[in-house]
Amino acid sequence: MGRSVASLPDEYVDLLSNEAEELGLSRSKYVRQRLEAGRLLFQSSDKLSTETLNNVVHQDGPPTIDNELETPDSDITDKLLANLPTDESQALEQDELQEVIFGTNEEQLEVIETALRELNERGQVEPAFDGGYVKTNE
């Protein structure tokens, strides 16, 4: 499991919980996403990376929380390097890294469920008769 990094005032935790709930996310997933976004924008320094910010602003569509569904291998490599400690006494096991990068199993299932619901509403997938999902012919 993950480790606690900081403690926050109750009011701030409540604010984060409310924002996460509005987006249909768990608080831990919401905080991880926001922390990762900030970390990437600051490139692990005290200077804002205007190049990274420009890339986000000039992408084809608006940035969304669902972008993690299409994570390229290089992005995973970057996330692994960003989350691995340099101190051997704080080494992370593969299951800990999996949770840090992809979230808990429950959070992963939530993402899949949300994506399937959206694809179903668009008519691109449908529930199969015996369970599971299939692509539609449209």
Side-chain angles (χ1 to χ4, degrees), residues 24-63:
L25 299 172
S26 68
R27 184 180 64 222
S28 61
K29 182 173 184 172
Y30 177 79
V31 169
R32 269 196 314 276
Q33 286 179 342
R34 277 29 184 202
L35 183 62
E36 180 67 8
R39 193 192 62 71
L40 289 172
L41 284 176
F42 282 90
Q43 297 291 313
S44 300
S45 74
D46 64 341
K47 303 268 190 275
L48 180 65
S49 170
T50 54
E51 180 181 335
T52 303
L53 184 57
N54 282 332
N55 288 339
V56 170
V57 171
H58 293 99
Q59 67 184 14
D60 288 341

Side-chain angles (χ1 to χ4, degrees), residues 6-136:
S7 62
L8 300 168
D10 290 342
E11 304 80 36
Y12 192 68
V13 173
D14 291 342
L15 175 68
L16 293 172
S17 296
N18 291 337
E19 291 173 356
E21 186 176 325
E22 286 176 17
L23 294 171
L25 299 172
S26 68
R27 184 180 64 222
S28 61
K29 182 173 184 172
Y30 177 79
V31 169
R32 269 196 314 276
Q33 286 179 342
R34 277 29 184 202
L35 183 62
E36 180 67 8
R39 193 192 62 71
L40 289 172
L41 284 176
F42 282 90
Q43 297 291 313
S44 300
S45 74
D46 64 341
K47 303 268 190 275
L48 180 65
S49 170
T50 54
E51 180 181 335
T52 303
L53 184 57
N54 282 332
N55 288 339
V56 170
V57 171
H58 293 99
Q59 67 184 14
D60 288 341
T64 67
I65 59 172
D66 294 330
N67 288 346
E68 67 190 74
L69 293 174
E70 301 174 38
T71 305
D73 290 340
S74 63
D75 194 32
I76 293 172
T77 304
D78 292 342
K79 287 182 179 185
L80 279 170
L81 287 173
N83 286 288
L84 284 171
T86 55
D87 183 350
E88 194 169 319
S89 68
Q90 296 178 346
L92 297 177
E93 299 288 332
Q94 287 185 7
D95 60 334
E96 293 172 308
L97 287 167
Q98 178 183 356
E99 185 172 324
V100 167
I101 293 171
F102 300 108
T104 64
N105 287 335
E106 294 81 20
E107 290 168 338
Q108 291 174 41
L109 289 173
E110 285 176 28
V111 170
I112 291 170
E113 183 180 327
T114 300
L116 283 170
R117 187 177 302 117
E118 182 180 322
L119 290 169
N120 182 258
E121 288 170 2
R122 288 194 242 159
Q124 293 178 293
V125 300
E126 61 189 13
F129 183 71
D130 290 327
Y133 288 83
V134 295
K135 286 194 300 186
T136 61

